Amino acid sequence: MLMAGADDVAPRLIGFRLVRVVGGLVLSGEIVETEAYLGARDRASHARGGRRTPRNESMYARAGTAYVYFTYGMHHCFNVVCAGEGDPQAVLVRALAPLTGLDAMREARGGVSAARDLCSGPGKLCQALQINRTLDGCDLCMPGPLYLAGPEPGATAPRVRRDRRVGLGDVGAWGTRRLRWFVTGSPWVSVKGAGETGKPGGPARRNKRA
DNA sequence: CGTTCGATTTGCT
DNA sequence: GCAAATCGAACGC
C-alpha cells in the first residue's frame, strides 16, 4: 500500500493514524491533509533533478521510511517515503486531527490552547509530536518511536477533496497541479489555502522577484 | 567563502 | 496583507 507513486499514496494516507511514542506517552492523530511530491521530475521536490544530498538522503530509501527535514531555521516537516528504493517520491503530512496526548502536544507547542492549532500545519504537527531530524530515516511500518497505523476499525472513509499544493515558490506548471488532498470540511486542516470555497484555488503564491 | 532562499508560523498593521 | 524570525543547504565565484 505504501509502495506506489506519491500521488497514489497521498490520498490513501488520509484517515491513517500517525503515532508518536515519547517519554512513556502516546501522541497520535488522524491524518487529514497530505501533499504528493513526485520525485526527480517534480520541480517542487527537494529531489528535483535527481538531487541527492545528506539532507534528503532518506527520500531515496525504501517505501515506509520517514523523511524529516528542517527548514526556515525553525521548523521541521514530516514525510512518508513511498516509492521504490532510489526513486525519491514522498508524501508530506500537513495536518492531523489530534487523537491522544493532547496535553503533551499543548505543552510542546508552547502553551497553545486551541486544539485546532495543535496540528493544523506541517510545522505545527512536528512540534506537537516532537518530531525532529533524529527520526529522519526511521521505519514507519513497525511500532516504534514513530509509526503509521491504519484507520480505526469501522471508521467511515472520509470524503476527500483535492487542490494545488501550498507554499511553493515559482515551480512553473508544477505549482498548479492538484497534488494536495484533505478531508472535506475538516476543521483540522491547515488554514492556508484550505480550499473550502469550492473554487479551483488562486494563482501560485510567493513568486518573489521576477 | 559569501549570498540566496526555503514543502512555515506568528504577530502586527 | 506583510514581514520578521532564524539557520543550514545549495549554489555561484
Side-chain angles (χ1 to χ4, degrees):
Chain A
M1 131 78 188
L2 284 174
M3 182 152 171
D7 53 343
D8 185 25
V9 174
R12 295 193 194 211
L13 278 178
I14 301 288
F16 269 55
R17 287 168 292 166
L18 180 63
V19 184
R20 170 76 165 121
V21 179
V22 58
L25 295 174
V26 178
L27 318 183
S28 67
E30 181 185 335
I31 297 174
V32 295
E33 182 181 359
T34 59
E35 279 182 0
Y37 287 84
L38 304 187
R41 65 199 165 114
D42 186 349
R43 282 187 59 191
S45 171
H46 290 163
R48 58 187 169 281
R51 258 161 58 181
R52 186 166 185 165
T53 69
R55 181 205 198 194
N56 72 1
E57 179 61 29
S58 298
M59 295 188 82
Y60 291 81
R62 71 176 185 282
T65 299
Y67 168 46
V68 179
Y69 66 88
F70 181 67
T71 189
Y72 287 103
M74 64 188 87
H75 297 299
H76 291 276
C77 291
F78 166 77
N79 296 254
V80 179
V81 175
C82 61
E85 201 164 325
D87 184 1
Q89 298 197 50
V91 173
L92 171 69
V93 176
R94 290 191 56 87
L96 306 173
L99 290 174
T100 67
L102 290 260
D103 287 339
M105 291 187 194
R106 268 187 260 269
E107 185 178 353
R109 286 275 293 135
V112 166
S113 55
R116 238 171 248 121
D117 292 328
L118 292 177
C119 302
S120 55
K124 292 179 185 178
L125 74 89
C126 282
Q127 187 178 26
L129 299 200
Q130 300 173 50
I131 295 172
N132 54 56
R133 284 230 88 192
T134 65
L135 293 166
D136 179 59
C138 78
D139 181 6
L140 298 169
C141 299
M142 297 274 297
L146 183 66
Y147 63 96
L148 290 166
E152 306 203 50
T156 59
R159 192 173 220 73
V160 176
R161 179 173 295 218
R162 53 189 304 198
D163 202 346
R164 64 188 58 188
R165 295 178 290 186
V166 175
L168 307 181
D170 179 8
V171 292
W174 286 97
T176 60
R177 293 191 53 169
R178 297 166 60 213
L179 294 172
R180 181 166 64 98
W181 287 262
F182 56 95
V183 177
T184 304
S186 172
W188 307 109
V189 303
S190 64
V191 178
K192 190 177 183 181
E196 286 301 314
T197 58
K199 57 186 177 182
R205 315 175 207 283
R206 195 181 306 194
N207 289 2
K208 304 177 181 175
R209 312 181 206 292

